[in-house]
């Protein structure tokens, strides 16, 4: 009877140990799954942040390129206006000299 009781206690201890080990393994697997999910989420957030940073950089480049294009266009208009003014001044001078010469002569 005592041997039977010892066997029953040993079997119960073994079952408890197996159950505790199974529970511990299940907890470890769950912790690993949560850690993997958190890492995946972190990578997704990092990728999204990187994409947003690239988009912002491209937008800044586009704005800068537009500003440069506007400045070049403005400078071109100013140069064209100055050339036209110079041309008009030269034309009026070319007309004024013969008139002045005719008036003096």
């Amino acid at each position: 009877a005592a041997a039977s009781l010892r066997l029953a206690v040993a079997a119960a201890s073994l079952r408890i140990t197996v159950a505790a080990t199974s529970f511990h393994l299940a907890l470890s697997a769950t912790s690993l799954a949560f850690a993997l999910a958190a890492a995946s989420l972190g990578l997704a957030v990092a990728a999204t942040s990187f994409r947003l940073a690239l988009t912002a950089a491209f937008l800044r480049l586009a704005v800068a390129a537009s500003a440069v294009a506007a400045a070049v266009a403005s400078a071109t208009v100013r140069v064209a206006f100055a050339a036209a003014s110079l041309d008009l001044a030269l034309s009026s001078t070319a007309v004024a000299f013969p008139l002045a010469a005719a008036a003096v002569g």
Side-chain angles (χ1 to χ4, degrees), residues 48-82:
T48 302
S49 297
F50 182 67
R51 276 190 235 114
L52 287 175
L54 279 180
T55 302
F58 282 128
L59 184 60
R60 281 192 293 269
L61 284 176
V63 168
S66 295
V68 168
V72 168
S74 175
T76 303
V77 167
R78 273 185 256 138
V79 167
F81 183 74

Side-chain angles (χ1 to χ4, degrees), residues 3-98:
S4 260
L5 182 60
R6 278 193 294 258
L7 282 175
V9 168
S13 291
L14 183 62
R15 280 194 293 269
I16 289 171
T17 302
V18 168
T21 303
S22 296
F23 182 69
H24 186 264
L25 288 174
L27 281 180
S28 296
T30 303
S31 296
L32 181 63
F34 277 124
L36 287 175
S40 295
L41 182 62
L43 286 175
V45 167
T48 302
S49 297
F50 182 67
R51 276 190 235 114
L52 287 175
L54 279 180
T55 302
F58 282 128
L59 184 60
R60 281 192 293 269
L61 284 176
V63 168
S66 295
V68 168
V72 168
S74 175
T76 303
V77 167
R78 273 185 256 138
V79 167
F81 183 74
S85 297
L86 180 62
D87 188 41
L88 285 175
L90 289 176
S91 297
S92 64
T93 303
V95 169
F97 276 132

